[in-house]
């Protein structure tokens, strides 16, 4: 059943930008930026996987492979699309559980494809291989 109760998100989400990568496409208007963000939330009613991309989208920052960001996905370089394969680039990598004033942290390794540094390195390799093939 669908809930008709409004969710109060005031002060529930905190966004911090860690890295930004500018990606140039074949056309001048194809230039895009991707960012690595950390999003912290004290909201505990669930559904945050839907709320976070929605909030970012409303602020003008679509999430890679979000179902509402198809145009942005289509403008990514082929190398990125081949790796992403329509998988959304958002994940839960650390969770703090607080019970009776004791906090327990559960964390897992962050997936590389969600990091600007991974794409920076991958796209540099593509450019280097293109320049090497032109020199031969």
């Amino acid at each position: 059943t669908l809930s008709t109760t409004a969710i109060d998100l005031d002060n529930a989400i905190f966004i911090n930008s860690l890295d930004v990568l500018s990606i140039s496409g074949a056309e001048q208007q194809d230039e895009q930026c991707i960012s690595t963000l950390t999003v912290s939330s004290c909201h505990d009613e669930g559904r945050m996987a839907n709320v976070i991309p929605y909030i970012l989208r409303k602020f003008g920052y679509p999430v890679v492979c979000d179902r509402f960001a198809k145009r942005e996905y289509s403008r990514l370089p082929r190398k990125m699309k081949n790796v992403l394969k329509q998988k959304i680039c958002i994940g839960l990598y650390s969770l703090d559980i607080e019970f009776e004033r004791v906090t327990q942290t559960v964390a897992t390794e962050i997936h590389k494809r969600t990091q600007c540094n991974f794409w920076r390195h991958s796209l540099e390799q593509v450019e280097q291989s293109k320049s090497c093939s032109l020199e031969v």
Side-chain angles (χ1 to χ4, degrees):
T1 61
L2 294 175
S3 173
T4 57
T5 307
I7 298 173
D8 180 15
L9 294 175
D10 287 342
N11 299 315
I13 296 176
F14 304 94
I15 301 170
N16 184 26
S17 176
L18 300 177
D19 195 2
V20 177
L21 173 63
S22 180
I23 303 169
S24 299
E27 303 287 328
Q28 189 72 5
Q29 69 270 16
D30 285 345
E31 184 168 89
Q32 299 187 80
C33 287
I34 62 171
S35 302
T36 300
L37 306 173
T38 58
V39 180
S40 302
S41 175
C42 59
H43 189 72
D44 63 357
E45 292 185 32
R47 301 188 321 213
M48 293 308 291
N50 293 328
V51 172
I52 292 169
Y54 172 79
I55 289 171
L56 290 170
R57 196 169 48 250
K58 289 299 177 186
F59 283 127
Y61 302 103
V63 175
V64 174
C65 294
D66 179 26
R67 63 186 175 158
F68 296 105
K70 294 191 184 303
R71 178 182 45 208
E72 291 81 2
Y73 176 78
S74 70
R75 292 174 30 193
L76 292 174
R78 180 177 295 162
K79 166 76 174 173
M80 291 182 77
K81 290 190 275 191
N82 289 344
V83 173
L84 292 171
K85 298 184 194 278
Q86 296 290 337
K87 295 178 186 128
I88 194 161
C89 284
I90 192 170
L92 175 63
Y93 300 104
S94 179
L95 178 67
D96 293 333
I97 303 165
E98 188 175 315
F99 181 71
E100 295 181 354
R101 297 187 183 167
V102 176
T103 301
Q104 177 72 37
T105 300
V106 179
T108 185
E109 188 176 336
I110 298 172
H111 200 287
K112 292 185 287 189
R113 77 170 185 263
T114 64
Q115 306 295 304
C116 286
N117 201 31
F118 170 78
W119 294 112
R120 187 176 289 115
H121 181 70
S122 296
L123 295 173
E124 284 172 359
Q125 286 181 329
V126 169
E127 289 302 315
Q128 287 174 356
S129 66
K130 283 181 183 177
S131 66
C132 288
S133 63
L134 291 176
E135 291 175 6
V136 173

